[in-house]
Amino acid sequence: MRDAHIESEKARLRSATIWLTLGLWAFAGVTFAGSIQLGGRMALSAPVVVWLGLGTLSGMSLSLVLHQLVRRVQLRCARARWTLLICAAVVLAGAQAVVDGALHTVVNRAFGLPTDGWFNPAHFGMNSLIYMGLFGFYAATLELIAMTERAAAHARESALYAAQAAEARELAREAQVRLLQLQMNPHFLFNTLNSISSLVGAGRFADADRMIARLSDFLRVSLQSTAEGVSPLGRELEALEAYLEIESVRFSDTLNLQIDCPEALHAAPTPTLILQPLLEAAIHHAHASPDGSRKMRLIIRQDDDRLVIRAIDTSLTATRAPGVESDGLETVRRRLEVIYGPAASMHVAAPADGFRIEISLPIARDPRPRT
């Protein structure tokens, strides 16, 4: 829809430019013919009509040169644009005046009429002033059209940016709400609180205190999502460790996670709450291995200017086909698309030896809505 609207606007501007060119030079031709007829300098004969017609076509051709110049200097500052356009209008006016003199000579010779040479200084000076007005008006009108086009493009980009920013904030809030729903899940809370209770009953107060602290860490970090959805990778890993330590209680300490991330990447800006859905999907989409353990690997690397995150469950074959994604993975995919566009990607696979998820995103780009 947006591309069709842009093409429609471009077609409308092209049409306006064509009609401006035709109208301007048709008016100029009629005006010159009228001035000749009223001035009585020469009769409006066939040679004069041919000369005026050829001169009008020549003016239209030079106008197209000016039109291309206007389009090519759009990225320059206003002062530079107007300076170039004024100089171009003066040069083209002189060129058109010279062409007029040459055409007059050629047409007269073709019709067997006497000529006084292709260059007449008096006629050249007068015609140059007339054409300066025409080309100056034409250049100013084209520049106004180009300014209107730039303003319309800026308005479209601003509207698109506002829509993307609103959607990115909404998706970040959805991720936060989803985590809160997970925390409030009775089964999740029952296992967490029951494990803490068991530790207290067994006199393992230090372990119980540690579990309470980890639950508190998880809640705290998950609630620190900023409006832009930006978080250092190190803080994401901190939240992930708290989540997995709580989850390990549910699986009787059979959850074995290896996090492989260079410390140099901990400061890399990443979308908030982006890691937890990956590990959650890898855990819940795969069966445990024969010995009851769940072996997980989180590998984070920098590949040139990209951050590559891989979540791998090597326990057993995944319980879902790779094309069937959970709500959490779908939210991740949508957030990456809104924030990075085609520069980010996510792949989900279920090979025979486990479940794998990989996301790749620009590491040097702040994950805020695109402008």
Side-chain angles (χ1 to χ4, degrees):
M1 180 68 70
R2 177 173 175 267
D3 292 340
H5 178 72
I6 293 175
E7 289 301 320
S8 175
E9 286 293 316
K10 289 182 178 179
R12 185 181 63 81
L13 290 172
R14 284 195 297 268
S15 177
T17 302
I18 292 173
W19 282 109
L20 171 66
T21 305
L22 293 175
L24 175 67
W25 286 101
F27 173 79
V30 172
T31 302
F32 287 157
S35 65
I36 291 174
Q37 186 69 20
L38 295 175
R41 290 187 304 158
M42 62 181 75
L44 196 60
S45 58
V48 173
V49 172
V50 172
W51 171 54
L52 290 177
L54 293 176
T56 300
L57 292 177
S58 172
M60 289 182 180
S61 301
L62 292 178
S63 295
L64 295 179
V65 175
L66 190 56
H67 173 256
Q68 291 300 317
L69 179 63
V70 170
R71 299 199 63 83
R72 290 180 181 275
V73 300
Q74 286 190 35
L75 298 182
R76 298 178 180 270
C77 67
R79 179 180 298 178
R81 284 200 309 272
W82 284 106
T83 301
L84 286 173
L85 292 179
I86 291 173
C87 293
V90 172
V91 171
L92 291 177
Q96 180 63 23
V98 171
V99 170
D100 263 2
L103 287 175
H104 187 265
T105 300
V106 170
V107 171
N108 280 352
R109 288 177 179 175
F111 282 88
L113 299 175
T115 65
D116 54 355
W118 67 272
F119 184 78
N120 185 307
H123 291 167
F124 172 81
M126 181 181 65
N127 290 339
S128 294
L129 291 176
I130 294 173
Y131 288 127
M132 282 182 193
L134 285 174
F135 282 110
F137 172 81
Y138 185 78
T141 305
L142 288 180
E143 175 61 12
L144 291 176
I145 292 175
M147 290 172 61
T148 302
E149 182 181 2
R150 289 194 295 270
H154 179 71
R156 288 193 299 268
E157 292 299 325
S158 297
L160 179 61
Y161 169 83
Q164 289 176 339
E167 185 175 358
R169 287 193 296 268
E170 182 61 27
L171 289 173
R173 284 194 293 269
E174 287 178 8
Q176 185 178 7
V177 169
R178 187 174 176 280
L179 277 181
L180 291 173
Q181 291 173 342
L182 174 65
Q183 295 161 16
M184 295 299 105
N185 185 286
H187 183 66
F188 173 77
L189 282 180
F190 173 78
N191 281 281
T192 303
L193 297 176
N194 184 61
S195 298
I196 294 174
S197 178
S198 298
L199 291 173
V200 172
R204 298 169 58 185
F205 301 114
D207 291 336
D209 183 68
R210 181 172 59 89
M211 289 302 299
I212 293 174
R214 298 310 282 172
L215 179 59
S216 175
D217 290 340
F218 179 61
L219 293 172
R220 173 181 55 80
V221 176
S222 65
L223 289 172
Q224 287 179 344
S225 174
T226 63
E228 295 85 1
V230 179
S231 177
L233 179 59
R235 196 173 77 183
E236 289 297 296
L237 292 174
E238 178 186 351
L240 184 66
E241 290 174 354
Y243 164 78
L244 289 171
E245 187 164 343
I246 295 170
E247 282 287 280
S248 67
V249 176
R250 297 177 56 189
F251 300 103
S252 302
D253 293 325
T254 61
L255 184 59
N256 181 9
L257 172 67
Q258 296 180 352
I259 298 179
D260 186 359
C261 175
E263 188 173 351
L265 294 179
H266 284 196
T270 56
T272 306
L273 309 178
I274 203 74
L275 298 180
Q276 181 268 338
L278 305 183
L279 267 295
E280 179 191 351
I283 291 172
H284 293 287
H285 287 208
H287 292 296
S289 59
D291 61 0
S293 64
R294 293 173 182 265
K295 299 178 182 179
M296 306 289 304
R297 294 185 65 194
L298 181 66
I299 304 174
I300 304 177
R301 289 288 186 270
Q302 180 177 353
D303 185 5
D304 292 333
D305 59 347
R306 303 187 66 79
L307 185 68
V308 181
I309 302 173
R310 299 183 182 91
I312 305 173
D313 186 316
T314 58
S315 303
L316 260 184
T317 304
T319 58
R320 293 189 186 184
V324 181
E325 296 183 1
S326 66
D327 292 339
L329 291 183
E330 178 61 23
T331 298
V332 171
R333 186 183 295 278
R334 289 170 57 202
R335 290 182 68 194
L336 292 176
E337 180 180 355
V338 169
I339 295 172
Y340 298 102
S345 63
M346 184 176 81
H347 301 286
V348 181
D353 59 344
F355 186 86
R356 303 184 182 187
I357 308 169
E358 177 179 313
I359 64 175
S360 175
L361 49 89
I363 192 173
R365 180 174 172 181
D366 198 5
R368 290 180 170 85
R370 291 170 292 152
T371 61

